[in-house]
Amino acid sequence: QVQLEESGGGVVQPGRSLRLSCAASGFIFSSYDMHWVRQAPGKGLEWVAVIWYDGSNRYYADSVKGRFTISRDNSKNTLYLQMNSLRAEDTAVYYCARRYCPNGACYNAFDYWGQGTLVTVSS
Amino acid sequence: QSALTQPASVSESPGQSITISCTGTSSDVGDFKYVSWYQQHPDKAPKLMIYDVSNRPSGVSNRFSGSKSGNTASLTISGLQAEDEADYYCSSYTSSSTVFGTGTKVTVL
């Protein structure tokens, strides 16, 4: 069965860095575009970044552009999010999510999500 | 990349129907057919309920339906059940990125 498991969250001081990982299993990871989505405590969902299935393209939300880097290692079935220059407003649960691609067709939606990892930026 | 606008809350009795609106702009909802809807129960990951405006993934109840007119998309839940009580988020593809709605808390009275 499809599983996505995030790790790497924790408490970090403003201005510092953190790297999140998302271990994927149960599907052909290298065939899927992957996303990061975050949710601040008690708030709504915010899309963060996407990386294409082969790593050839990456796009970011304006709020993280220049500070965050999405990457993947298809040989390890793992997605990453390198977060630099962290700010208090980056405090959130970070989810990795898989693009919805049933039966060979792909859509702009997310069908599987991890359980999330909490990042708290605080001094 | 401003969030799409949803009503903060909607309440209705079991068995009734509700409709949640999701208003964007001509650069997102109005320009693409790629609107999706997610259900999120407390402390759980979101679940895909509708994609491409009106399509249901396999396994999602046909009580959930979606539509779009201009810059506004809508999610309708018919025959409301207790387990439908959750937060609902719309999202729209927009030029290599995705924008989510502000979220709507659905309460089943």
Side-chain angles (χ1 to χ4, degrees):
Chain A
Q1 70 281 22
V2 173
Q3 287 193 328
L4 298 171
E5 185 171 358
E6 303 92 342
S7 61
V11 180
V12 61
Q13 293 180 327
R16 303 299 291 265
S17 299
L18 204 61
R19 188 177 84 156
L20 306 182
S21 299
C22 170
S25 61
F27 66 102
I28 302 174
F29 180 71
S30 59
S31 296
Y32 288 81
D33 298 347
M34 295 295 297
H35 297 252
W36 286 99
V37 176
R38 68 184 181 183
Q39 186 169 33
K43 302 297 184 180
L45 301 172
E46 181 186 12
W47 177 81
V48 173
V50 59
I51 185 168
W52 286 17
Y53 66 99
D54 59 357
S56 60
N57 283 288
R58 316 169 195 212
Y59 299 98
Y60 300 90
D62 289 344
S63 57
V64 307
K65 200 173 296 182
R67 299 187 301 122
F68 289 11
T69 301
I70 188 172
S71 62
R72 64 192 299 160
D73 186 336
N74 285 344
S75 68
K76 295 182 178 180
N77 292 340
T78 302
L79 175 72
Y80 302 101
L81 185 68
Q82 177 67 42
M83 304 185 295
N84 298 332
S85 303
L86 282 161
R87 306 167 179 168
E89 54 265 36
D90 296 320
T91 294
V93 172
Y94 285 74
Y95 296 99
C96 59
R98 189 184 81 165
R99 187 179 184 184
Y100 181 47
C101 296
N103 305 317
C106 288
Y107 302 92
N108 290 299
F110 318 123
D111 62 345
Y112 282 94
W113 301 61
Q115 83 290 349
T117 187
L118 176 62
V119 173
T120 302
V121 183
S122 173
S123 54
Chain B
Q1 295 180 342
S2 297
L4 309 175
T5 301
Q6 299 180 230
S9 63
V10 174
S11 301
E12 189 51 272
S13 302
Q16 299 302 305
S17 295
I18 61 169
T19 297
I20 302 169
S21 61
C22 169
T23 302
T25 69
S26 57
S27 298
D28 39 61
V29 175
D31 199 27
F32 300 96
K33 67 167 188 173
Y34 309 130
V35 175
S36 52
W37 289 89
Y38 300 87
Q39 176 191 65
Q40 186 181 33
H41 287 109
D43 298 320
K44 298 292 186 182
K47 175 186 176 183
L48 178 63
M49 305 303 285
I50 296 286
Y51 68 97
D52 278 10
V53 175
S54 60
N55 295 289
R56 280 186 309 276
S58 175
V60 172
S61 171
N62 59 9
R63 298 187 298 105
F64 292 83
S65 62
S67 63
K68 190 186 84 161
S69 177
N71 296 340
T72 298
S74 299
L75 174 72
T76 297
I77 309 174
S78 58
L80 206 58
Q81 299 179 2
E83 60 260 35
D84 299 333
E85 185 163 293
D87 294 326
Y88 291 82
Y89 295 91
C90 61
S91 78
S92 175
Y93 172 82
T94 165
S95 300
S96 302
S97 68
T98 296
V99 60
F100 283 96
T102 51
T104 298
K105 180 176 181 58
V106 170
T107 300
V108 181
L109 300 173

